[in-house]
Amino acid sequence: MDIGLVLQADPPARLLVERMQRAEAVGFSHGWTFDSCVLWQEPFVIYSQILAATERMTVGPMVTNPGTRTWEVTASIFATLNDMFGNRTICGIGRGDSAMRVAGRRPATLARLSEAMHTIKDLAEGRPATVDGTEVQLPWVRNGALPIWMGAYGPKALQLTGRQADGFILQLADPYLTEYMIKAVRAAATAAGRDPSAVQICVAAPAYVTTDHSPAALAHAREQCRWFGGMVGNHVADLIEHYGEHSDLVPEELTSYIKDRHGYDYAHHGRAGNPDTTFVPDAIVDRFCVIGPPESQLQRLAQLRSLGVDQFAIYAMHDAIDSTIEAYGSDVIPRL
């Protein structure tokens, strides 16, 4: 199982680059950031610095979207980075949550997302593609390779992932829901005539490494990770709006916890202490996140790996970023 690191592109960017350097040195394979350029700094500029400062790490957004940049621009950025540093980028993509909504736009439709994934991949890998009715091609691309990994929760999005994407990003670490959604993605891949095992599976969630199982340590870790349940809740609210509160198409294990949710302020998006996440119970934090000492981390990762997860990407957005990198490097990654 690969281990990735997800950081926000907060200033100073040099600190983010240094953390990615340290992460690669202790065994992390992937370096990811959010892509909401109103809330944080422009990630693709920072990717060039991470790639220059590392030797093997694969970098990319978790996730970009079809709306904030034109598709030929997105493809050209990835292709340029690959040309400069070897094929070491990856395109995580979704409909768009924070990046679109803070700019007053709605997330993209799945049809538009599908078209964008085809276009970005074809252009970044040197093939012609149609953009707004005009066929274009990046003539300078040679031997380009850009994996497209799609973030998804709902049944139609999971089907699209299985039909088209190179990988599936699931933003939660609950074993039951992971198994449920991997099965849906692989069934869709099979139905589309694809090899289901060829679709890479990435689970992304906060990990907080404690020194022990003491109630105080676990309580602190939960408070540092509770924001994640609020972020996932945005996507869950979209699912309920689309499919209804009690739908056979969406598992209640995903939807029931947001019954006391009242709005969301993106000013606190992805940050510990988010006041809009008080509705998230401890049980959801424990299910969706990976909290506890190294042995507990390894136990959950073993569960996820047995379900077919290829990468666990740590959302390190709490007060223990550096110690989490160090703990995974010394006590988790070597034992995987």
Side-chain angles (χ1 to χ4, degrees), residues 54-296:
T54 57
E55 297 178 359
R56 301 171 304 281
M57 179 174 275
T58 298
V59 306
M62 188 177 281
V63 293
T64 192
N65 66 84
T68 52
R69 301 175 187 84
T70 61
W71 303 343
E72 72 273 19
V73 169
T74 300
S76 182
I77 295 170
F78 278 114
T80 300
L81 292 173
N82 283 339
D83 187 66
M84 293 174 67
F85 300 104
N87 290 323
R88 291 171 53 203
T89 67
I90 187 167
C91 178
I93 194 167
R95 294 175 57 231
D97 177 33
S98 60
M100 297 293 284
R101 286 180 164 128
V102 297
R105 306 184 185 104
R106 289 184 61 83
T109 64
L110 289 177
R112 185 161 178 81
L113 176 56
S114 174
E115 186 181 357
M117 289 194 294
H118 277 303
T119 300
I120 292 167
K121 185 174 181 67
D122 282 345
L123 290 176
E125 295 184 345
R127 295 182 294 276
T130 300
V131 179
D132 294 331
T134 299
E135 184 175 280
V136 296
Q137 187 171 8
L138 305 180
W140 45 268
V141 174
R142 298 290 182 272
N143 302 314
L146 182 64
I148 305 284
W149 289 14
M150 180 178 156
Y153 291 106
K156 293 181 180 178
L158 294 170
Q159 289 172 13
L160 175 58
T161 303
R163 288 197 309 269
Q164 182 175 341
D166 300 305
F168 168 42
I169 297 173
L170 174 60
Q171 296 178 94
L172 52 79
D174 174 69
Y176 173 82
L177 291 171
T178 298
E179 182 177 20
Y180 178 97
M181 295 188 186
I182 289 175
K183 285 181 177 178
V185 168
R186 288 183 168 161
T190 300
R194 304 179 68 195
D195 176 2
S197 66
V199 181
Q200 296 291 290
I201 307 296
C202 174
V203 160
Y208 198 104
V209 184
T210 63
T211 56
D212 53 38
H213 289 286
S214 69
L218 295 177
H220 179 77
R222 289 187 185 105
E223 289 309 312
Q224 288 293 306
C225 297
R226 198 175 304 278
W227 65 267
F228 183 67
M231 187 187 80
V232 174
N234 292 333
H235 302 287
V236 173
D238 284 345
L239 293 176
I240 291 175
E241 180 182 357
H242 187 78
Y243 294 102
E245 188 172 354
H246 302 288
S247 170
D248 293 338
L249 298 175
V250 182
E252 188 175 349
E253 289 81 358
L254 176 62
T255 60
S256 62
Y257 82 97
I258 73 161
K259 62 182 183 298
D260 295 324
R261 176 183 181 270
H262 302 289
Y264 190 85
D265 183 353
Y266 283 94
H268 308 288
H269 189 58
R271 299 192 185 281
N274 186 333
D276 295 324
T277 61
T278 55
F279 71 92
V280 180
D282 287 352
I284 286 292
V285 181
D286 290 345
R287 282 174 47 204
F288 285 12
C289 307
V290 185
I291 290 172
E295 290 298 333
S296 296

Side-chain angles (χ1 to χ4, degrees), residues 30-46:
H30 289 66
W32 306 87
T33 73
F34 283 12
D35 178 18
S36 295
C37 53
V38 172
L39 297 176
W40 301 288
Q41 293 183 325
E42 170 56 41
F44 286 95
V45 176
I46 299 172

